[in-house]
């Protein structure tokens, strides 16, 4: 049973969208970029825009360059360091033993 709605199945503003309504699009260039994993990305740029040297790969996140045979190296990530690792960088073993001896002497009531 049909209701008397004449615009059923359409939405406000629906209609053919074309160049006449939107205006002409700017001329585009599609530039190929390759990452170190061999993924190819082809973003489009306006023909008068400056193309960047690197582009982030949408698949792996590594930087991608325009040279397929020589892509940029992936960024080197430093491993997570614990608090103890940072302390060991600042102090020698002799310093650590002296601090430990001082703390034990305080606990024993010798100081």
């Amino acid at each position: 049973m049909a209701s008397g709605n004449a615009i059923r199945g359409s939405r406000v503003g629906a209609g053919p969208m074309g160049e006449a309504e939107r205006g002409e699009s700017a001329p585009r260039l599609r530039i190929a970029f390759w990452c170190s994993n061999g993924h190819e990305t082809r973003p489009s740029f306006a023909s008068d825009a400056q193309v960047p040297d690197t582009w982030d790969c949408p698949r792996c996140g590594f930087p991608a360059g325009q040279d397929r045979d020589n892509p940029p190296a992936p960024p080197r990530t430093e491993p997570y360091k614990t608090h103890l690792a940072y302390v060991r960088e600042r102090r020698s073993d002799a310093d650590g033993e002296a601090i430990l001896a001082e703390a034990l002497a305080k606990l024993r009531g010798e100081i």
Side-chain angles (χ1 to χ4, degrees):
M1 180 184 250
S3 67
N5 196 348
I7 59 170
R8 184 175 179 194
S10 60
R11 57 184 163 72
V12 175
M17 290 292 288
E19 294 292 327
E21 291 182 18
R22 286 182 283 162
E24 291 188 30
S25 60
R28 297 270 176 197
L29 296 173
R30 293 190 72 80
I31 307 293
F33 289 90
W34 288 273
C35 71
S36 60
N37 287 335
H39 302 140
E40 181 183 7
T41 305
R42 290 184 168 268
S44 64
F45 298 96
S47 62
D48 58 347
Q50 183 178 357
V51 178
D53 294 333
T54 60
W55 191 261
D56 289 340
C57 177
R59 291 180 65 189
C60 63
F62 288 166
Q66 295 180 33
D67 186 4
R68 182 180 207 161
D69 299 326
N70 191 14
R76 185 169 175 255
T77 57
E78 294 291 327
Y80 174 76
K81 287 186 185 178
T82 63
H83 176 72
L84 182 60
Y86 284 111
V87 170
R88 285 185 176 162
E89 285 180 0
R90 293 190 312 265
R91 308 271 186 185
S92 67
D93 288 340
D95 290 340
E97 288 176 19
I99 292 171
L100 179 62
E102 182 182 336
L104 287 175
K106 238 184 219 182
L107 286 173
R108 292 182 184 135
E110 297 172 6
I111 292 181

